Amino acid sequence: MPKTAVLLIDCPDRRGIVAAIANFLVREYDANILNADQHQDVELGLFFMRVEFSTENTACSEDQFRQVFASLAGEFRMNWRLIFATPPANVAVFVSHYLHCLADLLDRYQIGELNCNLSLIVSNHEGARALAGFHGVPFHYIPATAGNKAATEKQQLNLLAEHQIDLVVLARYMQVLSPSFVSVYPQQIINVHHSFLPAFTGAKPYHAAFARGVKLIGATSHYVTEVLDEGPIIEQDVTRISQNDQLPDLIQKGRDLERLVLSRAVRWHLGHRILSYANKTVIFA
């Protein structure tokens, strides 16, 4: 059976990179290139590329590829990753008491839209237990308070390690992860939140936005870093608000946007379509 893999590359921009990569894959692996996309950052002089290919060469493995690719990678000063299509990633979803994003992810997972193993759901509330049970996903209730934060995160990290989790999705998880937690999963935690124009903070942002009479509301998905809500942005979307929209309409429209931008971010991550650099992201087609 053919193997399918994705090669992600970033390096200084120069002539000949695309040809060199294509020639290498054909020469070494008789590869069939299924998809290729590239991007140049002119200001920083950087080149980014994603190549999806298949090969029937049974010798192709990450270790073997590293050996034969080393010379070319060194010549072009490449940073690179090779990811095989199987096995699929193990995903954990963290959620609090807002369940709309979790419900959307579970539905997409059930119909096969998300190529992963949805291994567990973690929550600091009991409200998601029934939804998790309906979809047959293990549910873990771990209370979180200001006084037990360190113990809570230790329990969570042990659980993630036990299940060999590759990606953590914060589906409206209303707790701030500590820098030590984030450091265990760099570029492997995705969060979603509203992004009002103009911005409103506090416990009830939709109420504040409605009172201000905003004309646009939005949502943002991003990778989590040590700095709260300032990680590399993956996806954003907005919708228009009119004078006919009441507070429940704003909340509904905001939740719809949160569902969309989170599911897109998760799908793109699982498809290895994201490269992060300089606190920005390249999203490959």
Side-chain angles (χ1 to χ4, degrees):
M1 292 291 293
K3 295 181 179 179
T4 301
V6 172
L7 177 63
L8 291 171
I9 293 169
D10 68 270
C11 62
D13 193 17
R14 55 176 277 193
R15 291 188 182 92
I17 301 174
V18 174
I21 293 170
N23 290 336
F24 169 84
L25 292 174
V26 173
R27 182 181 68 249
E28 295 292 336
Y29 298 108
D30 191 27
N32 179 24
I33 296 178
L34 306 174
N35 181 274
D37 191 18
Q38 66 194 64
H39 171 69
Q40 288 84 23
D41 187 316
V42 177
E43 182 178 349
L44 296 179
L46 296 176
F47 174 85
F48 306 87
M49 189 172 187
R50 177 187 185 273
V51 183
E52 184 176 359
F53 68 92
S54 67
T55 177
E56 295 185 1
N57 189 328
T58 56
C60 184
S61 67
E62 186 172 354
D63 289 339
Q64 190 269 350
F65 190 95
R66 183 175 299 278
Q67 293 177 16
V68 297
F69 194 59
S71 176
L72 183 64
E75 177 185 351
F76 288 92
R77 296 161 55 196
M78 294 178 182
N79 299 309
W80 63 274
R81 285 188 294 141
L82 182 72
I83 311 103
F84 289 96
T86 56
N90 296 324
V91 176
V93 180
F94 282 37
V95 65
S96 291
H97 53 275
Y98 297 117
L99 304 182
H100 54 288
C101 287
L102 172 64
D104 182 71
L105 291 171
L106 286 168
D107 181 61
R108 294 177 189 274
Y109 174 69
Q110 190 168 51
I111 64 176
E113 187 175 313
L114 302 178
N115 180 29
C116 67
N117 296 318
L118 213 170
S119 302
L120 65 152
I121 295 169
V122 177
S123 181
N124 57 329
H125 294 271
E126 285 280 7
R129 183 181 294 277
L131 187 59
F134 178 80
H135 288 272
V137 179
F139 177 83
H140 298 266
Y141 169 59
I142 303 178
T145 64
N148 73 345
K149 186 176 183 65
T152 295
E153 290 196 344
K154 182 178 180 180
Q155 186 178 353
Q156 292 169 339
L157 287 170
N158 289 339
L159 189 62
L160 297 179
E162 177 187 344
H163 289 268
Q164 298 180 310
I165 295 300
D166 302 296
L167 174 67
V168 178
V169 180
L170 307 182
R172 294 304 309 273
Y173 182 62
M174 309 304 289
Q175 297 289 320
V176 178
L177 300 180
S178 70
S180 60
F181 188 110
V182 174
S183 68
V184 180
Y185 289 93
Q187 305 295 306
Q188 295 169 290
I189 306 175
I190 295 177
N191 190 25
V192 65
H193 58 77
H194 66 80
S195 52
F196 289 110
L197 305 174
F200 293 94
T201 59
K204 294 184 176 182
Y206 286 101
H207 295 70
F210 177 72
R212 181 66 176 80
V214 300
K215 302 304 181 187
L216 288 174
I217 62 171
T220 296
S221 58
H222 64 93
Y223 285 119
V224 175
T225 61
E226 295 181 1
V227 183
L228 181 64
D229 291 340
E230 292 192 16
I233 292 171
I234 302 172
E235 174 65 332
Q236 292 180 300
D237 207 345
V238 297
T239 191
R240 181 160 290 279
I241 300 300
S242 78
Q243 66 276 4
N244 298 320
D245 289 311
Q246 301 302 308
L247 177 58
D249 301 312
L250 263 70
I251 294 174
Q252 178 183 340
K253 288 184 175 184
R255 288 177 176 174
D256 287 344
L257 290 175
E258 290 168 2
R259 293 184 185 101
L260 286 173
V261 300
L262 181 60
S263 65
R264 289 172 187 162
V266 171
R267 188 169 67 250
W268 293 340
H269 180 96
L270 294 174
H272 312 293
R273 297 186 178 276
I274 307 172
L275 263 179
S276 179
Y277 77 104
N279 208 40
K280 298 191 291 186
T281 56
V282 176
I283 311 297
F284 292 107

